[in-house]
Amino acid sequence: MKKSLLCSLAVAGIFGAASANAATVTASQIQSFGQAVVSYITQNPTIAGLTASDVQILQTAYSDLATSSQVSAYTTVYNSVLQSSAGCLGLGTYPSINSTNITTCATDMVTALSAAGYTTTAASLGAGVAIAAAAGMPLTIPGTNVTVAAPSSTPTVPAAIAKTVTETISTAVVPQIQRATSIQQATIISNVISNIFSSRAPNAPGAPMRVSLGNEKGMAAGDAPSKFNAWVNASDTTIGSSATASMFDGYVTNAIGGVDYRVSDKFVAGVSAGYDRVALDFKFPGLTNSGLVSTGWMVAPYASYQLSDILSVDGAYGYAEGDVDTRASGVTTTQGYNRNFFALNLNANYWISDWQLTGKANYIAAEEKVATTNKMEQLRLGGQVGYWLKGIMPYASLTYVRDLKVSTGGIQPASLDNDAWVGSVGANLFSKGALSGGVAYTEEFGRADSKNYTFMANIGYRF
């Protein structure tokens, strides 16, 4: 089937017409209509009047229409013509339609698409789809007498696809989201406390004494120790899976800030708040135009206590709420969610000349409630080596991670790797005044078919 013939068939393939004042259409309608045709062809690969090659061309073109990032641009052209073309405005009302005006309307659309530089087969087929969608009529597959009904205003995902998506998200995607949101947030809060505001802050000869715990040195006579500290941390994490049955990729953004108060030389208490956004593209078998986007807000009080010159302990409890949009084959469903986490951490700090040696043991329990309740418990044991360079302290760390529990809807997936390693390199920066900050790169490795790496930056201010 030649492209010119295909375009002509698209023009002639309209079954129905718009009202006297042609309605506008949305990119979602165009994509849903295109996906409806793809689904029909997939289920009925042999169609009377078309060769196998014709069917393949149509399936490819409608699939492109259903998934192309240019559909919004096409739709702008379709709506412009629907509202300005005399043919489109004079279509009549189905079943009393003006066939001459249908041809004029479709021809005007193809001409406008060409003028805009959209000359693909998918864009031309979309002209017919736009007229059918605007009229709410079924679309005749070009070259056949087969009609495909216009998707309803509230389309649904076929039960089999919905089941596959739900199961795959629960077993393969949710654990990675929990690691990159709740677990990450708990770890960030603990690291900020221990690295900037606790006994792990530099106390080597010549190093500036930091904010909250222990004796502050280098202050002018009569100066009182700083009581308050404010900090912000921003991170961008890339996550994904290369497993064939659950392939996906995307990113998670966390932005967290907090303020704490030095109650005594040994005790600090504070509160933090944060925002996170998750954006994933699913590449599960049999799916197109599928993914997930969620946004939410988090609040987490925290506290730290100095046990000795070497040891400190800190903890945090976080609660978050938000919405998640899950898209499967072009159909989006929206759900609310809430998350919470509890973290308890033991920190050790020791200096040998200008070398800082630190150790950390973390226990983190996280829970997420969407359609199901998803739980994760994690143990982390790590060490870090840093070197004081008069205002800059580069460091490297290695942490062993053990997922003690991972369950989705009460079921623990058998295929997940429970063990991993997390490596990190970065630098903490200290001014002679009240400012401090840091940058870091962190990567998790050791889990089959998965990726998880993070770029992070933070800044602190004591007052």
Side-chain angles (χ1 to χ4, degrees):
M1 182 184 292
K2 295 182 179 179
K3 286 189 177 181
S4 58
L5 175 59
L6 194 59
C7 292
S8 299
L9 290 172
V11 170
I14 307 304
F15 186 74
S19 59
N21 293 308
T24 58
V25 295
T26 66
S28 178
Q29 283 179 294
I30 301 297
Q31 290 182 309
S32 296
F33 224 146
Q35 185 58 49
V37 177
V38 172
S39 298
Y40 180 88
I41 294 175
T42 301
Q43 297 169 12
N44 302 275
T46 302
I47 301 177
L50 298 180
T51 66
S53 177
D54 294 338
V55 172
Q56 182 60 52
I57 291 173
L58 284 171
Q59 185 173 30
T60 299
Y62 276 112
S63 180
D64 289 345
L65 186 64
T67 60
S68 174
S69 60
Q70 288 189 298
V71 172
S72 292
Y74 300 161
T75 304
T76 299
V77 177
Y78 301 150
N79 283 329
S80 176
V81 177
L82 284 171
Q83 296 299 309
S84 62
S85 165
C88 296
L89 294 171
L91 291 172
T93 303
Y94 180 82
S96 300
I97 58 173
N98 186 314
S99 58
T100 300
N101 284 344
I102 287 180
T103 302
T104 301
C105 178
T107 301
D108 288 346
M109 280 197 177
V110 173
T111 300
L113 287 168
S114 180
Y118 304 129
T119 58
T120 64
T121 303
S124 297
L125 285 174
V129 171
I131 298 174
M137 295 292 116
L139 174 73
T140 300
I141 296 178
T144 76
N145 293 319
V146 176
T147 58
V148 178
S152 65
S153 59
T154 55
T156 57
V157 180
I161 293 179
K163 183 173 184 293
T164 298
V165 171
T166 300
E167 290 178 348
T168 306
I169 290 175
S170 295
T171 58
V173 181
V174 165
Q176 291 230 51
I177 291 177
Q178 283 187 286
R179 294 188 189 108
T181 53
S182 296
I183 300 293
Q184 174 103 319
Q185 290 162 358
T187 302
I188 286 172
I189 293 170
S190 178
N191 286 344
V192 167
I193 301 170
S194 57
N195 285 340
I196 299 179
F197 303 134
S198 78
S199 63
R200 284 178 59 184
N203 54 16
M209 190 61 196
R210 297 319 296 168
V211 180
S212 56
L213 300 177
N215 297 316
E216 299 198 15
K217 58 185 180 180
M219 297 184 299
D223 284 353
S226 298
K227 293 285 189 179
F228 287 96
N229 309 281
W231 56 270
V232 293
N233 181 291
S235 65
D236 191 82
T237 301
T238 299
I239 63 175
S241 170
S242 57
T244 301
S246 58
M247 189 178 298
F248 75 93
D249 57 54
Y251 63 90
V252 180
T253 299
N254 283 293
I256 306 176
V259 176
D260 55 69
Y261 178 75
R262 184 170 66 122
V263 180
S264 70
D265 286 346
K266 291 188 175 183
F267 183 63
V268 168
V271 65
S272 62
Y275 166 84
D276 65 76
R277 184 178 188 275
V278 181
L280 307 178
D281 289 322
F282 299 153
K283 302 175 183 178
F284 307 160
L287 292 182
T288 58
N289 191 18
S290 302
L292 177 152
V293 175
S294 74
T295 57
W297 293 92
M298 177 275 298
V299 61
Y302 60 85
S304 177
Y305 185 78
Q306 186 80 29
L307 297 173
S308 69
D309 289 342
I310 294 176
L311 297 176
S312 67
V313 62
D314 62 75
Y317 173 79
Y319 179 81
E321 289 186 354
D323 294 311
V324 55
D325 295 331
T326 304
R327 188 176 71 259
S329 293
V331 179
T332 299
T333 58
T334 301
Q335 295 174 293
Y337 73 79
N338 63 69
R339 302 188 188 115
N340 64 78
F341 66 80
F342 168 75
L344 184 62
N345 315 290
L346 179 65
N347 313 294
N349 170 70
Y350 189 74
W351 284 87
I352 302 176
S353 183
D354 287 339
W355 291 91
Q356 184 195 43
L357 309 178
T358 63
K360 197 175 187 72
N362 312 71
Y363 169 77
I364 306 171
E367 181 178 86
E368 178 186 72
K369 294 182 179 180
V370 194
T372 60
T373 298
N374 312 303
K375 297 182 178 182
M376 175 174 288
E377 294 180 26
Q378 192 176 92
L379 177 67
R380 303 167 72 95
L381 300 171
Q384 179 175 297
V385 177
Y387 186 75
W388 177 248
L389 292 172
K390 295 183 179 180
I392 301 175
M393 190 169 73
Y395 64 85
S397 68
L398 183 64
T399 301
Y400 168 71
V401 177
R402 171 71 178 181
D403 292 338
L404 303 175
K405 180 179 183 179
V406 179
S407 68
T408 56
I411 300 174
Q412 183 151 347
S415 60
L416 293 181
D417 292 330
N418 292 322
D419 300 278
W421 292 89
V422 176
S424 180
V425 293
N428 289 326
L429 314 173
F430 303 91
S431 72
K432 293 181 179 181
L435 286 174
S436 61
V439 292
Y441 171 79
T442 299
E443 183 169 348
E444 182 183 81
F445 52 94
R447 301 187 198 271
D449 303 317
S450 71
K451 61 181 177 181
N452 183 316
Y453 56 87
T454 301
F455 293 93
M456 184 181 303
N458 66 73
I459 188 169
Y461 180 77
R462 57 189 174 95
F463 57 100

